[in-house]
């Protein structure tokens, strides 16, 4: 049965990866609705998957930063409220988890140890953190100890670079600490999104652990998801860039997971209706039409991929300021079938990059006294959501 069990939760084995500036409640709602359509088409009556909010910092959460509090607002129709936390100081991570539990704000909490962005890793966070075994252990244990029965999961990468691999140690520590599942992106921090994800690493982690292991990396279609399951034996798949401008991929993923061959290939007019609904959800969420439309602009660019629109109209749509303006500009574009060019990889792959790390970070797998002090400062400095 293609279901994923995480603590007391049982869902279809499909997860929306948290993405900064992307997986806010309006976009999560669209993805969930698409997944629920796939479930109905496959005759499945359970929960269609996990749809995780964009990463929030633990310090900003504990401080109740207004924008961070907005970020953790749930998609109002989601039966499972999933929140991803980033933190580098165990006490603060524990306090953030306890806050979410005590205030009944989450049903599932994920810990981010996979972010490769320099502003995070140069402070020792994200994909850099599992190199320090003592710090990683303390953070995971603090989260589990304060979770009150809510399942904690961990997301990480293969390592910092090919010479500094961390995922198998991290998996063992996380399992021993009591996490409910672990997700692995089959790339190192240095790779960012370059090259191909190494699915063999996911297969090895599946062999290592008794808890569910979820696979992430280069999932752009239902065929890719099926191939990953077959190659790795993973308990679930985590989709990130593959859904940008394409929330209907969750119809395909959930339907395929339950044995259906149904695939969503929306016409331009149908995509326009999805864009309109996305904009309406965004205006409702932000309570500010101009801000909502500014947030929509990147999504509109992704939605238009592969369609015959024209450069000038694309530029006009990238500057929309109101819902009426959006509708007018979309209505001017002739309807057309879903193009093959809209399929395939999404997002910028780029090239490998030199890891940005704290000074002397790779000298030892344990924190030095000086690094301990700097880690505490980093937690404060990154405050702000």
């Amino acid at each position: 049965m293609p279901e994923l069990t995480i603590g007391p939760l049982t869902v279809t084995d499909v997860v929306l990866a948290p993405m900064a500036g992307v997986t806010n409640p309006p976009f999560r709602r669209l993805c969930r609705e698409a997944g629920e359509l796939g479930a109905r088409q496959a005759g499945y009556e359970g929960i269609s998957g996990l749809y995780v909010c964009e990463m929030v910092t633990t310090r900003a959460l504990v401080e109740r930063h207004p924008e961070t509090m907005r970020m953790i607002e749930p998609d109002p129709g989601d039966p499972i409220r999933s929140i991803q936390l980033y933190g580098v100081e165990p006490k603060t991570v524990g306090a953030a988890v306890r806050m979410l539990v005590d205030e009944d704000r989450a049903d599932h909490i994920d810990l981010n140890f996979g972010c490769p962005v320099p502003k995070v890793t140069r402070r020792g966070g994200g994909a850099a953190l599992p190199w320090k075994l003592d710090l990683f252990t303390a953070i995971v244990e603090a989260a589990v100890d304060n979770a009150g029965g809510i399942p904690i999961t961990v997301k990480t990468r293969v390592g910092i670079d090919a010479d500094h691999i961390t995922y198998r140690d991290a998996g063992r520590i996380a399992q021993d600490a009591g996490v409910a599942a672990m997700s692995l992106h089959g790339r190192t921090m240095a790779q960012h999104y370059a090259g191909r994800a190494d699915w063999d690493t996911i297969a090895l982690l599946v062999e290592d652990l008794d808890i569910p292991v979820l696979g992430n990396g280069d999932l752009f279609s239902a065929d890719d998801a099926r191939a990953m399951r077959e190659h790795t034996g993973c308990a679930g798949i985590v989709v990130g860039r593959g859904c940008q401008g394409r929330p209907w991929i969750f119809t395909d993923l959930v339907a395929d997971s339950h044995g259906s061959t149904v695939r969503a290939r929306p016409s331009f007019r149908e995509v326009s209706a999805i864009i309109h609904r996305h904009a309406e959800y965004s205006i409702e969420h932000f309570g500010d039409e101009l801000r909502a439309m500014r947030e929509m602009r990147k999504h509109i660019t992704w939605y238009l991929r592969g369609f015959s629109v024209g450069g000038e109209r694309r530029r006009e749509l990238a500057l929309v300021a109101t819902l009426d303006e959006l509708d007018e500009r979309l209505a001017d574009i002739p309807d057309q079938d879903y193009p093959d060019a809209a399929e395939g990889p999404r997002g910028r792959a780029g090239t490998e990059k030199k890891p940005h790390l704290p000074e002397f970070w790779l000298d030892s797998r344990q924190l030095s006294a000086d690094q301990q002090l700097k880690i505490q400062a980093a937690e404060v400095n990154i405050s702000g959501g």
Side-chain angles (χ1 to χ4, degrees), residues 19 22 27 30-31 240-249 266 271 274-275 278 298-305 307 338 342-343 346-347:
M19 290 178 282
V22 178
F27 186 69
L30 287 171
C31 293
R241 294 174 298 152
C243 71
Q244 291 177 351
R246 191 169 53 182
W248 53 84
I249 193 176
V271 171
I274 294 171
I275 296 172
H278 191 169
K298 60 178 175 287
H299 292 279
I300 293 168
T301 299
W302 295 329
Y303 278 122
L304 297 179
R305 172 176 164 166
F307 285 101
Y338 188 70
E343 295 293 283
R346 298 235 164 176

Side-chain angles (χ1 to χ4, degrees), residues 29-102:
R29 183 174 177 182
L30 287 171
C31 293
R32 174 182 56 79
E33 290 173 346
E36 290 172 347
L37 176 60
R40 289 195 299 273
Q41 292 174 334
Y44 177 67
E45 298 181 354
I47 297 172
S48 69
L50 288 176
Y51 301 89
V52 189
C53 82
E54 55 190 314
M55 180 184 81
V56 298
T57 69
T58 52
R59 174 62 68 182
L61 182 60
V62 171
E63 293 174 351
R64 297 183 179 273
H65 188 282
E67 188 57 30
T68 299
M69 300 307 290
R70 186 198 299 272
M71 289 166 67
I72 66 168
E73 290 179 10
D75 155 14
D78 199 337
I80 298 177
R81 300 161 299 170
S82 293
I83 293 177
Q84 189 186 67
L85 299 179
Y86 157 79
V88 295
E89 206 285 314
K91 289 183 180 179
T92 308
V93 172
V97 170
R98 175 52 57 188
M99 173 184 166
L100 294 175
V101 172
D102 288 348

Side-chain angles (χ1 to χ4, degrees), residues 219-297:
L219 296 173
F220 300 108
S221 68
D223 289 344
D224 291 338
R226 196 179 323 115
M228 176 180 278
R229 291 187 188 97
E230 292 172 356
H231 185 90
T232 68
C234 63
I237 55 100
V238 181
V239 178
R241 294 174 298 152
C243 71
Q244 291 177 351
R246 191 169 53 182
W248 53 84
I249 193 176
F250 285 95
T251 298
D252 298 358
L253 294 168
V254 175
D256 184 77
S257 182
H258 294 282
S260 171
T261 58
V262 169
R263 297 293 181 267
R265 292 183 67 83
S267 68
F268 183 79
R269 199 55 57 219
E270 290 170 326
V271 171
S272 295
I274 294 171
I275 296 172
H276 174 88
R277 193 160 74 251
H278 191 169
E280 284 188 321
Y281 291 167
S282 294
I283 293 168
E284 177 185 351
H285 173 66
F286 290 109
D288 180 331
E289 185 175 28
L290 179 57
R291 176 173 179 184
M293 300 314 296
R294 285 174 173 165
E295 291 285 338
M296 282 296 300
R297 290 172 184 172

Side-chain angles (χ1 to χ4, degrees), residues 131-135 360-361 363-368 371:
W131 180 253
K132 297 299 186 181
L133 298 177
D134 52 347
L135 180 59
F360 308 122
W361 192 253
D363 288 357
S364 169
R365 298 300 305 271
Q366 307 294 317
L367 281 176
S368 68
Q371 288 167 346

